[in-house]
Every structure is written in structure tokens, then in C-alpha cells.
Amino acid sequence: VLKLNNNGLGIHGGTTIAQALIACQAECEKQGKQPSLHTLVCGRNRLENGSAPEFAKAFAALKTLREVRMPQNGIRPEGIVELMNGLSNNSGLAVLDLQDNTFTHTGSAALAKALSSWPLLETLNVGDCLLGSTGGRLVIEALKDVETLKILNLQYNEIEMDGAIALAESLRKLKILENIELNGNRFDAESNAVELIKAALAENDLDDDILGSLSDMEEITDDEDEDEDEDEEEKESDEEGKMDVAPGPKTASDVLADDLADLVDQMKKDLNV
């Protein structure tokens, strides 16, 4: 076990630590021994992208890691990709905590790809990681194959309605989940998507109490409000003088909302909830 929390290592210090791990692994090989390091805790050390390539090499060389915690290190998407490439060589990984680093779509895609490498994963914490709408959905869809998962933190990641719906589908495969955090994302806490998530939990005989607070869901920004207002003004302008014209077909959003409502109702009937 190696714990180096809040030591101010920086890029140079982190690189030095990673190189030392590589050297230790090489010495173990020389002596015909298996490396014994299984837990690395290295949070709040300003490791950033600069140290990521060496840590990736160390992870790939060790292959014995079961717990890795590297929150709040200012690691950006390119560094996340490096870390995922290295960690994917550790098939026994059970705990991964990268909270409060920056993934975006690039890092999320790398995580989604790596998830299948960890058949024993029990804890995944990528809260406050800016997965984004598309990146969040990539990770969520990949979760359906991680049936060992018990703790999942996806807070404050700009996940939107489509990601929430995809999560409900993935949750149907996660039968031993103990806690899930979704607060601070971009869908309404009272939406049908949340009802669908609760229905998926009920399908696995899981109490919806394991779903954490949704009291701080993100609202649409002022800029987005302005865009919507402009769209409405354009629609009103187009409709002037057309009062007798029959209403047009439903939009894709309308159809999605209707389909989702029907699906929630059907699942509730099937589950008697």
C-alpha cells in the first residue's frame, strides 16, 4: 500500500514516484518475485498531464493494482487517456477514484473502453469530472457489463436526459449496487427518466434509497435560455398569418417524451410499483 495524499508532488514529483514504481517492478522481475503493490492513493498532488505517461507505464508494468485513488490532480483528457491505457492492464482492479479531474468526451471514451478490462470493479468514482453529455452516455452504456459494481459516483458531469435514460437500462444489469450519486447533472429530478431509474432499481429488488440526493440538479444556462427564446420568436414569426393552418407533426423531443412516459408506466405495471 502506498498513500501519498496532499503532498504537493507536482508533475516532477509525480513522475519521480512513477519511475520509482517502474524500477521496483523491474527489480522484482530480476529477483523472480511478483510485485506486491495493490493500493495507490495519490490525491490532491497537482500531478496534471505531465506525470500521466510515467504513471501509465508504471500501471502497465505492475499489473497487480486493486485500488487506485487519484482525485483532484488537474489531470486533463489526454492524461486520462494515458492512465486508462495503463490501468487496463490491471484486471484485478476493484476501486477507481478519479474524482475532480477533467475527462470530456476524449477521457470518457477511454474510460468506457477500459471498463471491460476490470471484471472485478466494485467502486467507480468519476464525480466532478466533466464527462459531458456524449461522454457521460458512453461511460453509462459501458457500465452494463460491469455487473460487480457496488458504488457509482457520476455527480456534476453535465449528463443530460438521454444519458439518464441509458443509465436506467444499464442499471438493470447492476444487481448488487449499493449506492449511486447523480446530483448536479442536467436532467430534472422529477422527470420520467428518474422514475425509469427507480423502476430499474426496483426490478433488481433494490431500494431507491440507494439513489443519492438530487437536490442540486443543474439548470439550463442563460445563454441556452436565450437560444430557446430566439427559437420561439422565430416560430412565432413563421406562424403569423397562419392561424387556420393545422398543427404540424410532433417533434423528436415530443415523441421521446411520450415513449418514455409509456415505458415508465409499463415497467411500473410489470413490477407492481
Side-chain angles (χ1 to χ4, degrees):
V1 177
L2 179 61
K3 294 185 178 182
L4 296 167
N5 254 337
N6 202 20
N7 295 123
L9 295 176
I11 295 173
H12 179 71
T15 298
T16 300
I17 294 296
Q19 290 173 342
L21 293 175
I22 294 170
C24 287
Q25 193 278 338
E27 185 63 25
C28 285
E29 278 192 358
K30 184 178 178 180
Q31 296 181 18
K33 299 178 180 178
Q34 290 293 324
S36 59
L37 183 66
H38 57 76
T39 298
L40 173 65
V41 180
C42 196
R44 301 184 68 184
N45 274 300
R46 302 195 304 275
L47 299 177
E48 302 180 8
N49 279 3
S51 65
E54 290 303 311
F55 271 108
K57 291 176 185 176
F59 296 158
L62 288 167
K63 298 183 176 66
T64 56
L65 292 168
R66 300 197 297 268
E67 179 174 345
V68 174
R69 298 183 184 271
M70 301 177 72
Q72 298 181 323
N73 272 301
I75 304 170
R76 297 189 61 78
E78 298 79 10
I80 296 296
V81 172
E82 294 276 5
L83 296 182
M84 294 303 102
N85 289 338
L87 285 170
S88 63
N89 292 277
N90 294 261
S91 60
L93 190 69
V95 176
L96 179 60
D97 179 359
L98 291 171
Q99 184 171 10
D100 202 8
N101 290 290
T102 304
F103 280 57
T104 71
H105 182 276
T106 300
S108 299
L111 172 59
K113 181 180 178 182
L115 281 171
S116 62
S117 303
W118 307 318
L120 303 178
L121 190 67
E122 296 181 358
T123 298
L124 177 63
N125 184 352
V126 286
D128 300 276
C129 283
L130 195 62
L131 302 184
S133 176
T134 58
R137 181 161 182 171
L138 284 176
V139 173
I140 285 167
E141 290 177 343
L143 288 174
K144 65 180 181 295
D145 296 322
V146 190
E147 297 183 8
T148 53
L149 201 62
K150 295 180 180 179
I151 298 173
L152 175 62
N153 187 344
L154 293 171
Q155 290 187 123
Y156 298 96
N157 274 310
E158 297 189 355
I159 295 168
E160 298 184 358
M161 181 71 80
D162 62 334
I165 296 169
L167 179 61
E169 184 61 30
S170 290
L171 288 177
R172 300 178 73 183
K173 300 291 186 69
L174 306 183
K175 299 182 182 299
I176 59 173
L177 201 64
E178 296 175 358
N179 179 258
I180 177 170
E181 298 291 344
L182 296 173
N183 207 10
N185 284 297
R186 306 188 67 186
F187 52 91
D188 193 328
E190 304 298 325
S191 68
N192 280 334
V194 174
E195 290 302 312
L196 196 58
I197 287 170
K198 291 179 179 179
L201 294 174
E203 182 178 345
N204 292 329
D205 294 323
L206 299 174
D207 196 308
D208 60 21
D209 285 347
I210 72 172
L211 182 61
S213 171
L214 298 176
S215 62
D216 193 29
M217 303 304 281
E218 186 178 341
E219 297 180 359
I220 296 175
T221 65
D222 291 341
D223 288 342
E224 289 167 328
D225 277 335
E226 288 175 7
D227 290 341
E228 288 188 358
D229 289 342
E230 289 174 4
D231 290 341
E232 288 299 321
E233 288 174 5
E234 289 177 5
K235 289 178 183 177
E236 289 174 5
S237 176
D238 291 341
E239 289 172 0
E240 285 182 2
K242 299 180 180 179
M243 299 301 293
D244 296 330
V245 177
K250 288 186 177 181
T251 65
S253 296
D254 292 333
V255 173
L256 176 61
D258 290 345
D259 289 347
L260 180 56
D262 291 342
L263 183 55
V264 170
D265 289 341
Q266 186 58 50
M267 287 188 72
K268 285 184 173 180
K269 288 178 182 177
D270 292 344
L271 298 167
N272 294 317
V273 296

